[in-house]
């Protein structure tokens, strides 16, 4: 009998853990909030939706103070690749990530073949391995609230393509 209870308890622990991992992998948090479902962003109006919408744009007028971005990707002598982001008129501000937007600061999002692989909080990032073949690495500048920074409606981003064969 005690063996059955022990096995039952183990099943609950592992089964619950798998459920939580599956939910987290699909964007559902412990409070049931699904980032992929607009209905879970409440009825607080457009301001609340924009503040939480990771695809919202923070548009800045073109001019000499507008942000810009260049990137370089070089093979690492040991393994993988080194990504170098070179923003202009932009400051990486990891201390303000997910906070209020302040003009000219934020972080970057890094994509490999269109799939986001992480956030960038400084000028350099090591990327372990890339898929074989023609690979596009793209970096976008994002505001503290994760909105894409744009200049006159065009996202501030840069991309390079490398052949890993």
């Amino acid at each position: 009998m005690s063996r059955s209870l022990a096995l039952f308890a183990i099943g609950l622990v592992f089964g619950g853990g798998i459920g939580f991992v599956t939910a987290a992998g699909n964007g559902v948090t412990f409070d049931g909030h699904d980032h992929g479902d607009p209905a879970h962003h409440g009825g607080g109006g457009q301001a609340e939706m924009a503040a939480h919408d990771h695809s919202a744009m923070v548009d800045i007028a073109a001019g000499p103070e507008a942000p810009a971005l260049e990137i370089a990707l070089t093979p690492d002598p040991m393994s993988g690749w080194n990504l170098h982001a070179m923003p202009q008129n932009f400051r990486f501000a990891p201390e303000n990530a997910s906070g209020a937007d302040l003009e000219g600061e934020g972080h970057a999002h890094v994509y490999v073949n269109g799939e986001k692989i992480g956030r960038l909080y400084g000028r350099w990032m090591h990327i372990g391995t890339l898929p074989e073949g023609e690979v596009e690495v793209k970096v976008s500048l994002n505001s503290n609230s994760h909105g894409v920074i744009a200049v006159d409606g065009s996202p501030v981003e840069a991309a390079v393509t490398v052949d890993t064969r």
Side-chain angles (χ1 to χ4, degrees):
M1 178 70 172
S2 65
R3 182 171 186 238
S4 295
L5 285 176
L7 290 175
F8 177 72
I10 290 170
L12 281 177
V13 169
F14 284 107
I18 291 169
F20 284 120
V21 168
T22 302
N26 288 303
V28 178
T29 60
F30 288 109
D31 62 356
H33 182 92
D34 182 353
H35 279 129
D37 185 354
H40 287 176
H41 287 101
Q46 291 291 57
E48 180 182 339
M49 184 66 176
H52 198 79
D53 185 358
H54 296 217
S55 64
M57 273 197 183
V58 176
D59 204 13
I60 298 169
E65 299 301 313
L69 178 64
E70 293 179 32
I71 63 171
L73 188 67
T74 55
D76 184 274
M78 264 189 126
S79 67
W81 298 80
N82 292 319
L83 173 65
H84 184 199
M86 298 162 278
Q88 296 87 42
N89 301 317
F90 179 83
R91 181 179 82 82
F92 287 104
E95 69 278 8
N96 294 328
S98 300
D101 289 338
L102 295 173
E103 191 171 322
E105 74 170 38
H107 59 279
H109 291 177
V110 179
Y111 301 86
V112 172
N113 289 339
E115 183 178 327
K116 183 178 170 187
I117 63 165
R119 294 183 196 169
L120 183 62
Y121 291 117
R123 293 179 172 263
W124 289 92
M125 177 181 192
H126 181 262
I127 300 173
T129 58
L130 291 174
E132 188 172 326
E134 293 281 317
V135 178
E136 180 190 63
V137 175
K138 181 177 82 171
V139 177
S140 66
L141 293 185
N142 296 77
S143 66
N144 292 332
S145 66
H146 304 277
V148 174
I149 294 176
V151 173
D152 284 345
S154 294
V156 178
E157 56 188 31
V160 295
T161 301
V162 295
D163 189 343
T164 61
R165 289 179 279 229

